[in-house]
Amino acid sequence: MPNSNKTYIAELKNNVGRQVTLSGWLYNSRASGKIQFLIIRDGTGLCQCIVEKAKVADELFSRLKRLGQESSLTITGTVRADERSVGGYELTVTDAKIVSPTTDYPITPKSHGTDFLLKHRHLHLRSQRQWCIGKIRHTIIDAIRRFFNDNGFILIDTPIITATAGEDLQSLFEVDYFGSPLHLTQTGQLHVESAAMSFGKVYCFGPTFRAEKSKTRRHLTEFWMVEPEVAFIDLDGLLELAENFVSFIAADVLQNNKSQLETLGVDSATLEKIKPPFYRLTYTKVADILTGQKTRDFLAQQLEELKNQKQQLETKIAELEKQQTGQLKQWQKDKIAAELIELRSTLGEVDTRIENNPKHAKLAAEFQWGKDLGGSDETIISQMHDKPVFVTHYPKEAKAFYMKTDRDEEGVVLNFDLLAPAGFGEIIGGSVREDDYDLLLARIAEYGLDVENYRWYLDLRKYGSVPHGGFGLGVERTVAWLTAEKHIRQCIAFPRLMDKIYI
Ligand code: 4AD
């Protein structure tokens, strides 16, 4: 409904003292005798609107009092700056029109279980947390495009239906393509490599699919990946590109999403640290760290800290449970109930970490050179660092067929994974590509791939082959890391999970 008089909540700062009309939804409300406090959200922010019985018609006052959460309305009033108020501005209401009243909105401000919220994802997107994450995801995607566009990279849209497998054969989603078995792309890399031979510096950016049977907090079956590819680049050049790129994204989030980070409880100082140079470790060094005394001490100390945290949480929970039995107003009861849900959920997570600590310690101690790093190994290394860490030079057997072998060191490839710090784990995988025709052909055969599907890819090594490489950054993992969100299912509007698609 176009409305030239409409003001957005984000614009209230320019309208102090003026009368404005907001259009939005009722996020929350409370009444206290002759005054009502309505929190309105309009997509750009939240605003507390104060309705005094003496200043509006009686009928409107009582209709507003009965108005359910998520009712839509337009509301008119005078803007007042108030630091204590959500968003920093308030509206002293003079009039309102109810567009569509709502009753029994299923998601209340109290906490709900994950399954319930995923089933109500179409509504849950309106919650403050999801709104903040969505805004930050938008900034990240905008920063990704800007970084490459401003640095001379050309965007190439690669196909989603393909015959080639870029990564492991076990995680392909098959598509019946007019009777022929093809699959959904795992990566745009192979196609974008061809484009790099035309434009020099390119990137593709789109959805990718993995039928990985992983139910972890880091796995989706459909996720967004951006993949730059550069002709005439070596491993050092790739690491430099990746650290500049990730630092650029973090700086953009800091600049554009201060209030969302605050609402999510993210400490800006952790993002301010994301600046080049990042740490650099070889895989062999990581294997030594995992099996050495440093990791044993680190995990033992972590276990002590977790046990202390558990004790503090239990004390706090017991205190609140005691308070609950006293004489309280309804809003106080609700507040304690919501706090208890939060604390019990944190306690559950701490218990899981206490349980996992010895298992992870055992896996690390028994780590053998040659295996890919497991999720818990990555977590340990990333917990030991306060900035992202590059792990380079993995064993050839642990990685994809297209990675170039290190001609100076037997058995390893010129690749890297970038691990986000503080336990988050991998957000980027990349490598220099095998550019020798015969070696690549041999690797394709070794991996049991049908060489006929890779003739075109081999051609790139036949006609003007050059050293080249690139990487892929997973959008949802980056969003989860920068928003300190525990599970990446919260970092895409409609997540696709291994065991379920809800909506
Ligand atoms: O390490 P990966 O598998 O690398 C590639 O696909 C290369 N072809 C990229 C390239 O060199 N052009 O995946 C890259 C990134 C991971 O670091 C992770 O962030 C994300 O993609 N990713 C996933 N994100 C969510 N769910 C999954 N199942 C993911 N698998 C990978």
Side-chain angles (χ1 to χ4, degrees), residues 167 186-187 189 210 212 218-220 223 225 227 402 426-430 433 470-472 474 477 488:
E167 304 300 320
Q186 296 171 309
T187 166
Q189 180 201 318
R210 306 265 169 109
E212 274 169 310
R218 293 172 178 156
H219 288 91
L220 293 170
F223 61 97
M225 179 156 52
E227 300 181 82
Y402 53 74
E426 184 197 321
I427 55 164
I428 293 187
R433 321 304 187 188
F471 58 82
R477 287 200 192 171
I488 66 169

Side-chain angles (χ1 to χ4, degrees), residues 281 286 289-290 377-385 389 419:
L281 295 174
V286 166
I289 294 174
L290 287 172
D377 305 320
E378 282 180 1
T379 305
I380 293 168
I381 297 299
S382 100
Q383 276 168 344
M384 287 175 170
H385 293 86
V389 194
L419 309 184

Side-chain angles (χ1 to χ4, degrees), residues 166-168 186-190 192-193 204 208-212 214 218-229 399-400 402-403 416-418 426-431 433 469-478 488:
E167 304 300 320
D168 65 306
Q186 296 171 309
T187 166
Q189 180 201 318
L190 306 196
V192 95
E193 276 184 57
C204 61
T208 43
F209 305 86
R210 306 265 169 109
E212 274 169 310
S214 300
R218 293 172 178 156
H219 288 91
L220 293 170
T221 53
E222 177 179 320
F223 61 97
W224 282 67
M225 179 156 52
V226 58
E227 300 181 82
E229 190 72 27
K399 289 291 172 184
Y402 53 74
M403 294 186 181
F416 72 95
D417 280 351
L418 180 66
E426 184 197 321
I427 55 164
I428 293 187
S431 73
R433 321 304 187 188
F471 58 82
L473 169 128
V475 168
E476 291 74 19
R477 287 200 192 171
T478 307
I488 66 169

